[in-house]
């Protein structure tokens, strides 16, 4: 029984990487009967049938998985946000961070277009960077033509399976173009190679890069809290989670409960007001969410 990892899924076929080769495979019919759907990133068992064709017979247990896009066993996500054009958006960033924390995926913040900032704007951005670093998040700053970005990103990618995510227009394609110089790809070609060209089927693909694997994932640009329960939200804010152990009531939601360590920390400015405000907004979204049937 051969073992490998699904690196691409397209038109009903799964392309399994094993011993340096890609084997075109189909999933066993029994998977459909059991409700099992192989995902890009899955480690699988397969049997070879014919010339470089095979059938997946088993899917190994996943460390994590994303629904949109369908990809599994992700180690980390580089969240690409621009400092300007479009403006830095802390509430959207916090939505990404909460979602990744809930999936147990390590987030890295990459801030692009820092060269476009005025001195005053840069001062504000640097304060935000300090805030997130104090929480424990790694922040990479870069700009178009940054001579050091290749080294910065390569150090992060090595040995990891990474998702690249962010809004349109923040410089994701430029970043990819910078860290793939040996391929000499233009932005449009990169988009096509990653399944985002005008005439290609949208798909997820893990691409070997800098000693790791990276996926630019269509659809990974926003999140709804459709699977997160209100009791779990605190654990997705690391600074709230650390202090919540000192709350009087177990399961404290940090709303109106007495002797809440989190609310006290907000008042004492140990927790940033905007982060707490975002927590309250996300909590209300979860509470207002229509029940799933």
């Amino acid at each position: 029984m051969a073992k490998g990892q699904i690196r691409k899924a397209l038109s009903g076929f799964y392309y399994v990487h094993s011993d340096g080769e890609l084997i075109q495979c189909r999933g066993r019919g029994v998977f459909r009967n059991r409700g099992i759907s192989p995902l890009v990133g899955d480690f699988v068992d397969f049997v070879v049938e014919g010339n470089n064709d095979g059938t997946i017979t088993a899917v190994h247990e996943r460390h994590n998985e994303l629904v949109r896009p369908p990809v599994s066993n992700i180690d980390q996500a580089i969240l690409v946000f621009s400092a300007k054009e479009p403006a830095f958006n802390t509430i959207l960033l916090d939505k990404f961070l909460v979602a990744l924390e809930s999936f147990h995926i390590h987030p890295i913040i990459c801030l692009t277009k820092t060269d476009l900032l005025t001195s005053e704007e840069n001062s504000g951005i640097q304060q935000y960077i300090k805030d997130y670093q104090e929480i424990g998040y790694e922040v990479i700053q870069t700009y178009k033509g940054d001579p050091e970005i290749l080294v910065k990103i390569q150090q992060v990618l090595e040995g990891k399976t990474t998702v690249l995510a962010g809004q349109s227009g923040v410089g994701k394609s430029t970043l990819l173009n910078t860290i793939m110089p040996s391929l000499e790809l233009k932005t449009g070609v990169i988009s096509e190679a990653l399944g985002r060209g005008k005439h290609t089927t949208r798909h997820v693909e893990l691409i070997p890069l800098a000693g790791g694997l990276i996926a630019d994932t269509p659809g990974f640009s926003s999140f709804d809290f459709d699977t997160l329960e209100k009791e779990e939200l605190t654990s997705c804010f690391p600074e709230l989670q650390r202090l919540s152990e000192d709350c009087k009531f177990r399961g404290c939601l940090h709303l109106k409960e007495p002797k809440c360590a989190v609310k006290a920390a907000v008042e004492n400015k140990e927790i940033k007001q905007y982060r707490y405000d975002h927590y309250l907004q996300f909590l209300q979204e979860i509470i207002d969410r229509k029940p799933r049937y």
Side-chain angles (χ1 to χ4, degrees), residues 6 9 14 37-44 59 62 65-66 70-72:
I6 298 175
Y14 303 97
S37 179
L39 298 177
V40 171
D42 278 343
F43 293 96
V44 298
V59 176
R62 296 164 181 157
E65 64 180 274
L66 297 175
V71 60
S72 68

Side-chain angles (χ1 to χ4, degrees), residues 63-64 66 71-80 96-97 99-101 103-109 137-138 140 152-165 179 206 209-217 220 223:
H63 300 304
N64 53 45
L66 297 175
V71 60
S72 68
N73 297 317
I74 297 295
D75 296 314
Q76 60 186 13
I78 298 177
L79 300 178
V80 186
F96 272 87
L97 291 172
L100 292 173
E101 295 282 2
F103 290 123
H104 306 291
I105 296 173
H106 177 67
I108 298 168
I109 301 167
Y137 292 119
E138 181 178 355
I140 298 171
K152 294 175 185 176
I153 294 295
Q154 282 181 332
Q155 291 174 344
V156 168
L157 296 180
E158 187 173 359
K160 303 289 186 181
T161 299
T162 305
V163 167
L164 188 70
I179 61 182
L206 294 177
L209 182 65
L213 296 169
I214 190 167
D216 182 50
T217 50
F220 196 74
F223 288 103

Side-chain angles (χ1 to χ4, degrees), residues 5-253:
Q5 183 187 33
I6 298 175
R7 294 286 177 86
K8 179 170 68 172
L10 185 63
S11 302
F13 289 100
Y14 303 97
Y15 295 85
V16 179
H17 184 266
S18 179
D19 293 330
E21 293 185 304
L22 274 183
I23 313 297
Q24 179 178 280
C25 296
R26 287 193 179 274
R28 288 182 60 176
V30 69
F31 287 160
R32 289 189 294 273
N33 298 335
R34 295 178 182 174
I36 299 173
S37 179
L39 298 177
V40 171
D42 278 343
F43 293 96
V44 298
D45 297 337
F46 67 99
V47 293
V48 177
E49 302 165 341
N51 185 21
N52 207 39
D53 288 328
T55 300
I56 295 173
T57 57
V59 176
H60 298 190
E61 185 176 355
R62 296 164 181 157
H63 300 304
N64 53 45
E65 64 180 274
L66 297 175
V67 177
R68 296 187 303 271
V71 60
S72 68
N73 297 317
I74 297 295
D75 296 314
Q76 60 186 13
I78 298 177
L79 300 178
V80 186
F81 275 70
S82 58
K84 191 174 183 178
E85 297 178 8
F88 183 57
N89 187 329
T90 58
I91 191 164
L92 184 59
L93 173 59
D94 285 345
K95 273 199 169 187
F96 272 87
L97 291 172
V98 165
L100 292 173
E101 295 282 2
S102 72
F103 290 123
H104 306 291
I105 296 173
H106 177 67
I108 298 168
I109 301 167
C110 181
L111 203 58
T112 64
K113 304 185 183 181
T114 55
D115 56 321
L116 302 182
L117 297 171
T118 65
S119 177
E120 183 178 350
E121 290 169 337
N122 186 58
S123 177
I125 287 293
Q126 292 305 316
Q127 182 58 57
Y128 280 127
I129 290 172
K130 182 181 177 182
D131 292 348
Y132 283 99
Q133 287 176 329
E134 287 179 350
I135 293 169
Y137 292 119
E138 181 178 355
V139 182
I140 298 171
Q141 301 179 62
T142 187
Y143 53 89
K144 188 175 182 179
D146 180 0
E148 298 180 0
I149 187 56
L150 192 59
V151 174
K152 294 175 185 176
I153 294 295
Q154 282 181 332
Q155 291 174 344
V156 168
L157 296 180
E158 187 173 359
K160 303 289 186 181
T161 299
T162 305
V163 167
L164 188 70
Q167 282 181 297
S168 297
V170 296
K172 277 198 304 177
S173 294
T174 300
L175 183 64
L176 276 170
N177 208 13
T178 303
I179 61 182
M180 295 184 185
S182 61
L183 300 180
E184 297 182 352
L185 295 178
K186 295 180 181 179
T187 301
V189 179
I190 291 175
S191 297
E192 185 173 343
L194 296 170
R196 300 184 63 188
K198 293 181 180 179
H199 305 294
T200 58
T201 303
R202 292 164 69 91
H203 67 280
V204 181
E205 181 175 356
L206 294 177
I207 298 173
L209 182 65
L213 296 169
I214 190 167
D216 182 50
T217 50
F220 196 74
S221 58
S222 63
F223 288 103
D224 298 315
F225 302 119
D226 50 2
T227 60
L228 194 64
E229 301 300 331
K230 64 178 186 282
E231 295 82 7
E232 300 171 321
L233 184 59
T234 294
S235 66
C236 300
F237 283 79
E239 71 275 42
L240 272 64
Q241 174 66 15
R242 288 191 287 266
L243 285 166
S244 65
E245 298 176 3
D246 297 328
C247 291
K248 179 178 180 179
F249 295 102
R250 188 174 181 179
C252 180
L253 293 179

